[in-house]
Amino acid sequence: MRSDRIKKGADRAPHRSLLRATGVIKRESDFEKPFIAVVNSYVDIVPGHAHLREFVESIKAYIREAGGVPFEFNTIGVDDGIAMGHEGMKWSLPSRELIADSVETMLRAHAFDAAIFIPNCDKIVPGMLMAALRVNLPSIFVSGGPMRAGVLPSSGRVVDLVSVFEALGELKKGEISEAELKEIETYACPGCGSCSGLFTANSMNSLLEALGLALPGNGTILAEDPRREALKKQAAYRVVELALEDLKPRDVIDLRSFENAFRLDVAMGGSTNTVLHTLAAAQEAGIPFPLERLDEIGRTTPNLAKIAPSSNYHMEDLDRAGGIYAILKELARGGYLHPDAHTVLGKTLGELLQEGDFGIKDDRVIRRLEAPYSEQGGLRILFGSLAPEGAVVKTAGVDPKMLRHRGPARVFNSEEAAQSAINNGEIFPGDVVVIRYEGPRGGPGMREMLAPTSALVGMGLGDKVALITDGRFSGGTRGAAIGHVSPEAAEGGPIALVKEGDLIEIDLVEGRVDLLVGEAELARRRAEFKPLKKPVEGAWLKRYRALVTNASKGAVLKEPD
């Protein structure tokens, strides 16, 4: 076992002495058992993680029952909703790299035999996934589970976090009162768990099922559901077996796994952030995944589910309808998956789909191949003169009227400037809002922009205005919101050359986003171009800005020469 290097032989007497002092070693025979890292992400300020201190205790007990020795350590976690709309969001995406690096540090420094990862929200899931693939230690994931949706006592209306953001726009438009906003605020997030729609956290926890690193139900069984206890027990027992079998993530994951994950992503209309994070994970696995291939998957995979913010269905509805494996089984029926892809259970994805009861139980929530929401998937990669290296849009959340749109550019060099114009009623039907210098390098930190997109929806402009940015969006964003434009403005991409009033054309059917300005004029602007460099607080963001790549490369950090 890997842990023998810290516990076997006379030379390791000092190591054993320290291990005894932790209190984790209960008896002499523990030195003969596999040492299992329990990578928790408990923090008080993230509702998806606030319950994980208690959540993890039974996992550690199950590991002992299965014959392992559990050693828990924690990661940091940024709550994107709380960091949203101010400078704090600049630290969210960079936290993904800190999580990956810190987990790698702990795993490599202490010679663990295997790891069970307990993420839930935002950047914690991809950060842990990147670390698991980088270190390549036998690993399994079990998330903390989604939050149930909220219900307003006054009307019975089902609400979630995005409802609060959109209610702000309704308040500014005079459509609701402050008392009505207070009710929505109070009941939108009724308890622990990752926010109740198919936002980034739940999208990533669902993709782990398709990747083969998590068990069926990982993405959809609610945090408060007793069935999650059985999921924890199965994962805890399995991680000890993985240590003894030495079955590692890169033994499980290959190109087929990532193609299955992206098929699921576009079929269920997941968050645009999944593109960013899954590309980063693929690089850690040594499996580069070109955006052109992802675009092809988006064009050829039907959209079978629309979960909030794209509809009024939430994660509990998706779970009731059969969960992620029901979507996967329907995709497999149409020949869209690689059924021979491996999983941590030691069986192929196809074998698991055949063995379990994974049929669709409510075809209003999960549609069948014969009646999809659309023949093309809920996520699309766009190319064109404004995004030569690609951009991404959640087509599942776009009103059909906005699938093709041409309008004048309204140009802003920060989220705050755009938000101010929206709040002041300066954005009009037909406009194309361009928010630049919010990319990984330009922000720095590539902030999510749920506030401006929600304000546009709340003010009745969600089906009349497009928004384009080199930044990114929350999984809660809906509307014609195009993000991840690459190259970004800070590296001289075409988005940096857009001027107020320029015509921009988007075609989400053909997958294009174009700046309708002649090449000679663009060449003139390029010759005069000087990138804006925003002041940065903190040493970490300065290092991040110097090392980060653009969104088309997953916003990973460049390795030094």
PDB file of all heavy atoms in Angstrom, residues 209-238:
ATOM      1  N   GLU A 209     -21.620  11.544 -12.293  1.00  0.00           N
ATOM      2  CA  GLU A 209     -22.251  10.245 -12.550  1.00  0.00           C
ATOM      3  C   GLU A 209     -21.901   9.756 -13.953  1.00  0.00           C
ATOM      4  O   GLU A 209     -21.581   8.578 -14.153  1.00  0.00           O
ATOM      5  CB  GLU A 209     -23.762  10.344 -12.381  1.00  0.00           C
ATOM      6  CG  GLU A 209     -24.227  10.673 -10.963  1.00  0.00           C
ATOM      7  CD  GLU A 209     -25.735  10.617 -10.825  1.00  0.00           C
ATOM      8  OE1 GLU A 209     -26.356   9.690 -11.403  1.00  0.00           O
ATOM      9  OE2 GLU A 209     -26.311  11.490 -10.142  1.00  0.00           O
ATOM     10  N   ALA A 210     -21.971  10.654 -14.935  1.00  0.00           N
ATOM     11  CA  ALA A 210     -21.666  10.264 -16.311  1.00  0.00           C
ATOM     12  C   ALA A 210     -20.183   9.968 -16.498  1.00  0.00           C
ATOM     13  O   ALA A 210     -19.809   9.108 -17.305  1.00  0.00           O
ATOM     14  CB  ALA A 210     -22.101  11.365 -17.277  1.00  0.00           C
ATOM     15  N   LEU A 211     -19.336  10.676 -15.757  1.00  0.00           N
ATOM     16  CA  LEU A 211     -17.895  10.425 -15.839  1.00  0.00           C
ATOM     17  C   LEU A 211     -17.513   9.081 -15.223  1.00  0.00           C
ATOM     18  O   LEU A 211     -16.432   8.561 -15.496  1.00  0.00           O
ATOM     19  CB  LEU A 211     -17.118  11.542 -15.144  1.00  0.00           C
ATOM     20  CG  LEU A 211     -17.000  12.864 -15.895  1.00  0.00           C
ATOM     21  CD1 LEU A 211     -16.429  13.950 -14.983  1.00  0.00           C
ATOM     22  CD2 LEU A 211     -16.126  12.709 -17.137  1.00  0.00           C
ATOM     23  N   GLY A 212     -18.378   8.551 -14.379  1.00  0.00           N
ATOM     24  CA  GLY A 212     -18.091   7.261 -13.754  1.00  0.00           C
ATOM     25  C   GLY A 212     -17.401   7.348 -12.421  1.00  0.00           C
ATOM     26  O   GLY A 212     -16.978   6.326 -11.878  1.00  0.00           O
ATOM     27  N   LEU A 213     -17.285   8.543 -11.848  1.00  0.00           N
ATOM     28  CA  LEU A 213     -16.581   8.717 -10.574  1.00  0.00           C
ATOM     29  C   LEU A 213     -17.514   8.845  -9.380  1.00  0.00           C
ATOM     30  O   LEU A 213     -17.058   8.970  -8.242  1.00  0.00           O
ATOM     31  CB  LEU A 213     -15.667   9.956 -10.633  1.00  0.00           C
ATOM     32  CG  LEU A 213     -14.461   9.849 -11.569  1.00  0.00           C
ATOM     33  CD1 LEU A 213     -13.649  11.129 -11.532  1.00  0.00           C
ATOM     34  CD2 LEU A 213     -13.575   8.653 -11.191  1.00  0.00           C
ATOM     35  N   ALA A 214     -18.828   8.844  -9.622  1.00  0.00           N
ATOM     36  CA  ALA A 214     -19.810   8.919  -8.546  1.00  0.00           C
ATOM     37  C   ALA A 214     -20.920   7.921  -8.812  1.00  0.00           C
ATOM     38  O   ALA A 214     -21.140   7.493  -9.954  1.00  0.00           O
ATOM     39  CB  ALA A 214     -20.375  10.334  -8.424  1.00  0.00           C
ATOM     40  N   LEU A 215     -21.645   7.575  -7.783  1.00  0.00           N
ATOM     41  CA  LEU A 215     -22.688   6.566  -7.881  1.00  0.00           C
ATOM     42  C   LEU A 215     -23.987   7.168  -8.413  1.00  0.00           C
ATOM     43  O   LEU A 215     -24.213   8.377  -8.288  1.00  0.00           O
ATOM     44  CB  LEU A 215     -22.929   5.955  -6.499  1.00  0.00           C
ATOM     45  CG  LEU A 215     -21.694   5.361  -5.812  1.00  0.00           C
ATOM     46  CD1 LEU A 215     -22.043   4.914  -4.406  1.00  0.00           C
ATOM     47  CD2 LEU A 215     -21.136   4.198  -6.620  1.00  0.00           C
ATOM     48  N   PRO A 216     -24.879   6.350  -8.967  1.00  0.00           N
ATOM     49  CA  PRO A 216     -26.181   6.857  -9.397  1.00  0.00           C
ATOM     50  C   PRO A 216     -26.914   7.533  -8.247  1.00  0.00           C
ATOM     51  O   PRO A 216     -26.995   6.995  -7.141  1.00  0.00           O
ATOM     52  CB  PRO A 216     -26.911   5.581  -9.847  1.00  0.00           C
ATOM     53  CG  PRO A 216     -25.827   4.628 -10.227  1.00  0.00           C
ATOM     54  CD  PRO A 216     -24.694   4.915  -9.287  1.00  0.00           C
ATOM     55  N   GLY A 217     -27.443   8.722  -8.515  1.00  0.00           N
ATOM     56  CA  GLY A 217     -28.142   9.490  -7.493  1.00  0.00           C
ATOM     57  C   GLY A 217     -27.312  10.588  -6.885  1.00  0.00           C
ATOM     58  O   GLY A 217     -27.837  11.464  -6.185  1.00  0.00           O
ATOM     59  N   ASN A 218     -26.006  10.590  -7.144  1.00  0.00           N
ATOM     60  CA  ASN A 218     -25.118  11.586  -6.542  1.00  0.00           C
ATOM     61  C   ASN A 218     -25.579  13.015  -6.818  1.00  0.00           C
ATOM     62  O   ASN A 218     -25.510  13.876  -5.945  1.00  0.00           O
ATOM     63  CB  ASN A 218     -23.700  11.402  -7.084  1.00  0.00           C
ATOM     64  CG  ASN A 218     -22.719  12.414  -6.506  1.00  0.00           C
ATOM     65  OD1 ASN A 218     -22.355  12.342  -5.347  1.00  0.00           O
ATOM     66  ND2 ASN A 218     -22.284  13.375  -7.325  1.00  0.00           N
ATOM     67  N   GLY A 219     -26.066  13.273  -8.038  1.00  0.00           N
ATOM     68  CA  GLY A 219     -26.396  14.642  -8.415  1.00  0.00           C
ATOM     69  C   GLY A 219     -27.779  15.083  -8.026  1.00  0.00           C
ATOM     70  O   GLY A 219     -28.039  16.287  -7.953  1.00  0.00           O
ATOM     71  N   THR A 220     -28.717  14.145  -7.758  1.00  0.00           N
ATOM     72  CA  THR A 220     -30.125  14.540  -7.638  1.00  0.00           C
ATOM     73  C   THR A 220     -30.787  14.212  -6.312  1.00  0.00           C
ATOM     74  O   THR A 220     -31.788  14.844  -5.965  1.00  0.00           O
ATOM     75  CB  THR A 220     -30.956  13.896  -8.767  1.00  0.00           C
ATOM     76  OG1 THR A 220     -30.858  12.469  -8.678  1.00  0.00           O
ATOM     77  CG2 THR A 220     -30.482  14.367 -10.134  1.00  0.00           C
ATOM     78  N   ILE A 221     -30.317  13.226  -5.556  1.00  0.00           N
ATOM     79  CA  ILE A 221     -30.948  12.902  -4.267  1.00  0.00           C
ATOM     80  C   ILE A 221     -30.740  14.082  -3.319  1.00  0.00           C
ATOM     81  O   ILE A 221     -29.614  14.506  -3.078  1.00  0.00           O
ATOM     82  CB  ILE A 221     -30.361  11.617  -3.665  1.00  0.00           C
ATOM     83  CG1 ILE A 221     -30.646  10.419  -4.570  1.00  0.00           C
ATOM     84  CG2 ILE A 221     -30.935  11.369  -2.271  1.00  0.00           C
ATOM     85  CD1 ILE A 221     -29.984   9.121  -4.111  1.00  0.00           C
ATOM     86  N   LEU A 222     -31.831  14.628  -2.787  1.00  0.00           N
ATOM     87  CA  LEU A 222     -31.742  15.836  -1.970  1.00  0.00           C
ATOM     88  C   LEU A 222     -30.890  15.625  -0.730  1.00  0.00           C
ATOM     89  O   LEU A 222     -30.785  14.511  -0.192  1.00  0.00           O
ATOM     90  CB  LEU A 222     -33.138  16.287  -1.549  1.00  0.00           C
ATOM     91  CG  LEU A 222     -34.106  16.749  -2.644  1.00  0.00           C
ATOM     92  CD1 LEU A 222     -35.373  17.321  -2.024  1.00  0.00           C
ATOM     93  CD2 LEU A 222     -33.461  17.776  -3.563  1.00  0.00           C
ATOM     94  N   ALA A 223     -30.306  16.731  -0.258  1.00  0.00           N
ATOM     95  CA  ALA A 223     -29.449  16.692   0.934  1.00  0.00           C
ATOM     96  C   ALA A 223     -30.199  16.121   2.129  1.00  0.00           C
ATOM     97  O   ALA A 223     -29.611  15.417   2.963  1.00  0.00           O
ATOM     98  CB  ALA A 223     -28.938  18.097   1.243  1.00  0.00           C
ATOM     99  N   GLU A 224     -31.498  16.404   2.230  1.00  0.00           N
ATOM    100  CA  GLU A 224     -32.287  15.990   3.390  1.00  0.00           C
ATOM    101  C   GLU A 224     -32.928  14.617   3.209  1.00  0.00           C
ATOM    102  O   GLU A 224     -33.594  14.113   4.112  1.00  0.00           O
ATOM    103  CB  GLU A 224     -33.391  17.024   3.643  1.00  0.00           C
ATOM    104  CG  GLU A 224     -32.859  18.432   3.901  1.00  0.00           C
ATOM    105  CD  GLU A 224     -33.976  19.471   3.902  1.00  0.00           C
ATOM    106  OE1 GLU A 224     -35.048  19.187   3.314  1.00  0.00           O
ATOM    107  OE2 GLU A 224     -33.781  20.539   4.491  1.00  0.00           O
ATOM    108  N   ASP A 225     -32.753  14.005   2.049  1.00  0.00           N
ATOM    109  CA  ASP A 225     -33.401  12.726   1.743  1.00  0.00           C
ATOM    110  C   ASP A 225     -32.653  11.580   2.439  1.00  0.00           C
ATOM    111  O   ASP A 225     -31.429  11.460   2.304  1.00  0.00           O
ATOM    112  CB  ASP A 225     -33.387  12.512   0.219  1.00  0.00           C
ATOM    113  CG  ASP A 225     -34.271  11.359  -0.221  1.00  0.00           C
ATOM    114  OD1 ASP A 225     -34.296  10.316   0.455  1.00  0.00           O
ATOM    115  OD2 ASP A 225     -34.938  11.496  -1.269  1.00  0.00           O
ATOM    116  N   PRO A 226     -33.350  10.719   3.182  1.00  0.00           N
ATOM    117  CA  PRO A 226     -32.676   9.593   3.846  1.00  0.00           C
ATOM    118  C   PRO A 226     -31.920   8.683   2.890  1.00  0.00           C
ATOM    119  O   PRO A 226     -30.974   7.992   3.301  1.00  0.00           O
ATOM    120  CB  PRO A 226     -33.845   8.843   4.517  1.00  0.00           C
ATOM    121  CG  PRO A 226     -34.922   9.864   4.678  1.00  0.00           C
ATOM    122  CD  PRO A 226     -34.771  10.798   3.509  1.00  0.00           C
ATOM    123  N   ARG A 227     -32.298   8.672   1.602  1.00  0.00           N
ATOM    124  CA  ARG A 227     -31.592   7.821   0.636  1.00  0.00           C
ATOM    125  C   ARG A 227     -30.133   8.227   0.461  1.00  0.00           C
ATOM    126  O   ARG A 227     -29.310   7.424   0.014  1.00  0.00           O
ATOM    127  CB  ARG A 227     -32.293   7.863  -0.719  1.00  0.00           C
ATOM    128  CG  ARG A 227     -33.660   7.173  -0.748  1.00  0.00           C
ATOM    129  CD  ARG A 227     -34.285   7.284  -2.130  1.00  0.00           C
ATOM    130  NE  ARG A 227     -34.501   8.673  -2.492  1.00  0.00           N
ATOM    131  CZ  ARG A 227     -34.447   9.139  -3.739  1.00  0.00           C
ATOM    132  NH1 ARG A 227     -34.148   8.340  -4.746  1.00  0.00           N
ATOM    133  NH2 ARG A 227     -34.672  10.416  -3.985  1.00  0.00           N
ATOM    134  N   ARG A 228     -29.814   9.467   0.804  1.00  0.00           N
ATOM    135  CA  ARG A 228     -28.416   9.886   0.663  1.00  0.00           C
ATOM    136  C   ARG A 228     -27.517   9.156   1.663  1.00  0.00           C
ATOM    137  O   ARG A 228     -26.330   8.977   1.416  1.00  0.00           O
ATOM    138  CB  ARG A 228     -28.287  11.408   0.812  1.00  0.00           C
ATOM    139  CG  ARG A 228     -26.907  11.932   0.414  1.00  0.00           C
ATOM    140  CD  ARG A 228     -26.929  13.366  -0.048  1.00  0.00           C
ATOM    141  NE  ARG A 228     -27.443  13.505  -1.400  1.00  0.00           N
ATOM    142  CZ  ARG A 228     -26.701  13.385  -2.496  1.00  0.00           C
ATOM    143  NH1 ARG A 228     -25.418  13.114  -2.415  1.00  0.00           N
ATOM    144  NH2 ARG A 228     -27.244  13.522  -3.683  1.00  0.00           N
ATOM    145  N   GLU A 229     -28.066   8.695   2.773  1.00  0.00           N
ATOM    146  CA  GLU A 229     -27.273   7.929   3.733  1.00  0.00           C
ATOM    147  C   GLU A 229     -26.816   6.612   3.111  1.00  0.00           C
ATOM    148  O   GLU A 229     -25.651   6.204   3.280  1.00  0.00           O
ATOM    149  CB  GLU A 229     -28.081   7.675   4.998  1.00  0.00           C
ATOM    150  CG  GLU A 229     -27.268   7.130   6.170  1.00  0.00           C
ATOM    151  CD  GLU A 229     -26.203   8.108   6.657  1.00  0.00           C
ATOM    152  OE1 GLU A 229     -26.410   9.339   6.544  1.00  0.00           O
ATOM    153  OE2 GLU A 229     -25.155   7.634   7.154  1.00  0.00           O
ATOM    154  N   ALA A 230     -27.709   5.953   2.385  1.00  0.00           N
ATOM    155  CA  ALA A 230     -27.330   4.707   1.712  1.00  0.00           C
ATOM    156  C   ALA A 230     -26.271   4.961   0.656  1.00  0.00           C
ATOM    157  O   ALA A 230     -25.360   4.139   0.450  1.00  0.00           O
ATOM    158  CB  ALA A 230     -28.569   4.065   1.083  1.00  0.00           C
ATOM    159  N   LEU A 231     -26.373   6.112  -0.017  1.00  0.00           N
ATOM    160  CA  LEU A 231     -25.376   6.487  -1.023  1.00  0.00           C
ATOM    161  C   LEU A 231     -24.013   6.674  -0.368  1.00  0.00           C
ATOM    162  O   LEU A 231     -22.985   6.205  -0.891  1.00  0.00           O
ATOM    163  CB  LEU A 231     -25.816   7.779  -1.716  1.00  0.00           C
ATOM    164  CG  LEU A 231     -25.128   8.146  -3.023  1.00  0.00           C
ATOM    165  CD1 LEU A 231     -25.577   7.231  -4.147  1.00  0.00           C
ATOM    166  CD2 LEU A 231     -25.435   9.603  -3.385  1.00  0.00           C
ATOM    167  N   LYS A 232     -23.989   7.340   0.783  1.00  0.00           N
ATOM    168  CA  LYS A 232     -22.728   7.533   1.515  1.00  0.00           C
ATOM    169  C   LYS A 232     -22.114   6.193   1.902  1.00  0.00           C
ATOM    170  O   LYS A 232     -20.903   5.989   1.769  1.00  0.00           O
ATOM    171  CB  LYS A 232     -22.975   8.373   2.779  1.00  0.00           C
ATOM    172  CG  LYS A 232     -23.300   9.818   2.533  1.00  0.00           C
ATOM    173  CD  LYS A 232     -23.167  10.644   3.811  1.00  0.00           C
ATOM    174  CE  LYS A 232     -24.273  10.382   4.779  1.00  0.00           C
ATOM    175  NZ  LYS A 232     -24.128  11.189   6.009  1.00  0.00           N
ATOM    176  N   LYS A 233     -22.948   5.281   2.410  1.00  0.00           N
ATOM    177  CA  LYS A 233     -22.429   3.982   2.854  1.00  0.00           C
ATOM    178  C   LYS A 233     -21.834   3.201   1.683  1.00  0.00           C
ATOM    179  O   LYS A 233     -20.734   2.636   1.792  1.00  0.00           O
ATOM    180  CB  LYS A 233     -23.549   3.173   3.509  1.00  0.00           C
ATOM    181  CG  LYS A 233     -23.077   1.841   4.074  1.00  0.00           C
ATOM    182  CD  LYS A 233     -24.176   1.149   4.865  1.00  0.00           C
ATOM    183  CE  LYS A 233     -23.666  -0.140   5.508  1.00  0.00           C
ATOM    184  NZ  LYS A 233     -24.715  -0.804   6.319  1.00  0.00           N
ATOM    185  N   GLN A 234     -22.542   3.191   0.562  1.00  0.00           N
ATOM    186  CA  GLN A 234     -22.032   2.472  -0.608  1.00  0.00           C
ATOM    187  C   GLN A 234     -20.711   3.065  -1.078  1.00  0.00           C
ATOM    188  O   GLN A 234     -19.771   2.338  -1.412  1.00  0.00           O
ATOM    189  CB  GLN A 234     -23.059   2.498  -1.726  1.00  0.00           C
ATOM    190  CG  GLN A 234     -22.683   1.628  -2.926  1.00  0.00           C
ATOM    191  CD  GLN A 234     -23.709   1.703  -4.043  1.00  0.00           C
ATOM    192  OE1 GLN A 234     -24.690   2.456  -3.977  1.00  0.00           O
ATOM    193  NE2 GLN A 234     -23.493   0.922  -5.102  1.00  0.00           N
ATOM    194  N   ALA A 235     -20.628   4.408  -1.108  1.00  0.00           N
ATOM    195  CA  ALA A 235     -19.398   5.062  -1.554  1.00  0.00           C
ATOM    196  C   ALA A 235     -18.250   4.793  -0.590  1.00  0.00           C
ATOM    197  O   ALA A 235     -17.106   4.566  -1.007  1.00  0.00           O
ATOM    198  CB  ALA A 235     -19.635   6.566  -1.707  1.00  0.00           C
ATOM    199  N   ALA A 236     -18.533   4.817   0.721  1.00  0.00           N
ATOM    200  CA  ALA A 236     -17.481   4.596   1.724  1.00  0.00           C
ATOM    201  C   ALA A 236     -16.934   3.175   1.646  1.00  0.00           C
ATOM    202  O   ALA A 236     -15.718   2.955   1.721  1.00  0.00           O
ATOM    203  CB  ALA A 236     -18.030   4.889   3.113  1.00  0.00           C
ATOM    204  N   TYR A 237     -17.829   2.205   1.507  1.00  0.00           N
ATOM    205  CA  TYR A 237     -17.364   0.827   1.370  1.00  0.00           C
ATOM    206  C   TYR A 237     -16.576   0.653   0.069  1.00  0.00           C
ATOM    207  O   TYR A 237     -15.538  -0.043   0.036  1.00  0.00           O
ATOM    208  CB  TYR A 237     -18.556  -0.140   1.392  1.00  0.00           C
ATOM    209  CG  TYR A 237     -18.914  -0.637   2.777  1.00  0.00           C
ATOM    210  CD1 TYR A 237     -19.474   0.214   3.714  1.00  0.00           C
ATOM    211  CD2 TYR A 237     -18.679  -1.953   3.145  1.00  0.00           C
ATOM    212  CE1 TYR A 237     -19.806  -0.232   4.990  1.00  0.00           C
ATOM    213  CE2 TYR A 237     -19.006  -2.421   4.410  1.00  0.00           C
ATOM    214  CZ  TYR A 237     -19.568  -1.553   5.337  1.00  0.00           C
ATOM    215  OH  TYR A 237     -19.879  -2.004   6.592  1.00  0.00           O
ATOM    216  N   ARG A 238     -17.051   1.287  -0.987  1.00  0.00           N
ATOM    217  CA  ARG A 238     -16.400   1.119  -2.282  1.00  0.00           C
ATOM    218  C   ARG A 238     -15.014   1.752  -2.299  1.00  0.00           C
ATOM    219  O   ARG A 238     -14.109   1.224  -2.951  1.00  0.00           O
ATOM    220  CB  ARG A 238     -17.280   1.713  -3.390  1.00  0.00           C
ATOM    221  CG  ARG A 238     -16.713   1.545  -4.800  1.00  0.00           C
ATOM    222  CD  ARG A 238     -16.458   0.104  -5.147  1.00  0.00           C
ATOM    223  NE  ARG A 238     -15.804  -0.051  -6.442  1.00  0.00           N
ATOM    224  CZ  ARG A 238     -15.053  -1.088  -6.802  1.00  0.00           C
ATOM    225  NH1 ARG A 238     -14.874  -2.096  -5.947  1.00  0.00           N
ATOM    226  NH2 ARG A 238     -14.492  -1.147  -7.986  1.00  0.00           N
TER     227      ARG A 238
END
